[in-house]
Amino acid sequence: MTEAVTETMTDLTYSTYLRMDTLLSLQQTRFPESTDRSVALAEHFFIVAHQSCELWLKQIVADLRLARDLLNAPGDPAGGAEDGVELLQRAAELLRVLHEQVIVLERLPLRHFVRFRPYLGTASGAQSQQFRVLGRLLEDGPETSELYRAFLADADRQGLSAADVCRLGVACGGPHRVAEALLDVGNGYWRWKVAHLGLVTKMVGGQQGTGGTSGEDYLLHRITLPFRDLRQLRGNPHTEVLATSPV
């Protein structure tokens, strides 16, 4: 068995490990290359950017789900929190990568986009299932987000409320680092959505979205800043300082 595994590992190459043949065959443009190669290549660029976003979303969602589970785990609270912080920090950096991917799409010439856009049919980024999963992890709604509930559970096991964490700051250790990392993730998520709105406004204007949405209005009303309760609590120290200030 060991020899068979060793032989397999020896035969492994960069190309086979990453399945490059499959990966590089997934960018199938719909605009006829024979009609205009520049337009077809612009559509190829459009596909690469969106496929890359979905891959990064896969990693972000996986990292945030594990961070949520670690914070919810009743085991070693300190160990779970520290591992969770690492995952949250990585997700925050990857959201910055997603933001940059949107900025790169601004290099898509409008004259090319308007020619291949009809070939998209009803396909729309609004249909991304992973984006919806990310929203459930982060966004506030009738109930707080999954990650925020996990943060509250972790703090509670250490005898702290969210208000305590914000008031004590670095003095309470792990919960403070979790709170800071959550806000980094939330800010990255918000910046990504704002950049996307800017791109759509630049490229589509007031036109209807390909998926039947209202376009820029649809995006504008869905830009949210996650963890509102945590942000509100972080503002309390300002009030406390002002109340005791001799000025």
Side-chain angles (χ1 to χ4, degrees), residues 40-161:
L41 189 58
E43 184 188 357
H44 183 274
F45 168 57
F46 184 82
I47 293 172
V48 167
H50 283 80
Q51 286 180 341
S52 299
C53 284
E54 288 294 333
L55 287 173
W56 287 126
L57 276 172
K58 180 180 180 181
Q59 183 68 48
I60 291 168
V61 167
D63 283 350
L64 294 181
R65 279 175 164 168
L66 181 52
R68 174 201 61 193
D69 294 344
L70 288 171
L71 292 173
N72 277 324
D76 177 11
E82 290 306 318
D83 289 343
V85 167
E86 288 183 345
L87 290 161
L88 291 170
Q89 289 174 338
R90 182 162 70 195
E93 285 300 310
L94 292 181
L95 283 163
R96 182 181 59 81
V97 172
L98 283 183
H99 175 269
E100 292 301 316
Q101 297 252 150
V102 173
I103 301 303
V104 165
L105 271 171
E106 293 189 0
R107 301 282 71 81
L108 174 65
L110 179 60
R111 68 184 186 280
H112 294 161
F113 182 51
V114 297
R115 292 185 64 189
F116 75 74
R117 189 177 183 230
Y119 288 81
L120 302 180
T122 58
S124 168
Q127 298 162 349
S128 171
Q129 293 297 319
Q130 293 193 113
F131 179 70
R132 294 177 185 177
V133 172
L134 180 60
R136 289 194 294 272
L137 285 164
L138 296 183
E139 292 187 1
D140 295 331
E143 300 178 359
T144 53
S145 74
E146 294 178 24
L147 270 168
Y148 190 63
R149 291 200 301 270
F151 159 68
L152 294 176
D154 176 69
D156 183 66
R157 284 194 299 274
Q158 301 181 57
L160 298 168
S161 66

Side-chain angles (χ1 to χ4, degrees), residues 160-172:
L160 298 168
S161 66
D164 293 332
V165 174
C166 293
R167 177 173 53 82
L168 294 171
V170 295
C172 68

Side-chain angles (χ1 to χ4, degrees), residues 148 151 161-170 172 175-184 187 226-241:
Y148 190 63
F151 159 68
S161 66
D164 293 332
V165 174
C166 293
R167 177 173 53 82
L168 294 171
V170 295
C172 68
H176 168 73
R177 288 188 289 276
V178 172
E180 293 296 301
L182 284 177
L183 293 174
D184 288 341
N187 287 350
F227 313 123
R228 288 175 294 178
D229 290 347
L230 182 58
R231 295 174 191 279
Q232 183 65 37
L233 290 170
R234 278 172 58 87
N236 290 344
H238 293 280
T239 304
E240 294 169 5
V241 169

